[in-house]
Amino acid sequence: MHGPPPSEPGKGYTLLGPDRVPRGSEVPGTLGGHRPGRIYGRLDCPSALRAIARGGYVRNRVFFADEETAVAAGYRPCSVCMPAEYAAWKANRT
């Protein structure tokens, strides 16, 4: 599973950086995200997979190398597949 066509020649995957700029990568991302909701989660997230099965979500899907990058890009954890991370995020909101 990978993102849109690579943004750099010779790179097989496109990952979003902390500055929200897509970059080519030779390795796939470890987390997926939804651009409009600014949510990130596991690639096997049941909620995301249901949305994809219904025909939605894919057009706005992004991928991240790791959680640190997703957070730096302004995304929050998914409450379905990352409940502990979501609880911590929610508790620390200002």
Side-chain angles (χ1 to χ4, degrees), residues 49-62:
L49 294 176
R50 280 192 303 274
I52 290 168
R54 289 190 309 265
Y57 198 83
V58 175
R59 177 180 247 163
N60 292 303
R61 193 144 197 220
V62 294

Side-chain angles (χ1 to χ4, degrees), residues 3-94:
S7 58
E8 298 174 27
K11 306 286 183 166
Y13 302 92
T14 301
L15 305 180
L16 210 59
D19 54 2
R20 297 188 203 133
V21 174
R23 292 183 174 80
S25 172
E26 293 180 2
V27 296
T30 62
L31 298 168
H34 185 247
R35 188 173 284 127
R38 295 256 174 97
I39 298 170
Y40 71 89
R42 297 187 336 238
L43 297 176
D44 65 346
C45 176
S47 182
L49 294 176
R50 280 192 303 274
I52 290 168
R54 289 190 309 265
Y57 198 83
V58 175
R59 177 180 247 163
N60 292 303
R61 193 144 197 220
V62 294
F63 297 89
F64 297 100
D66 52 42
E67 189 171 9
E68 181 178 297
T69 304
V71 170
Y75 285 65
R76 70 158 177 88
C78 173
S79 64
V80 174
C81 67
M82 302 182 80
E85 293 86 345
Y86 175 78
W89 171 83
K90 191 171 181 180
N92 291 320
R93 286 181 61 186
T94 55

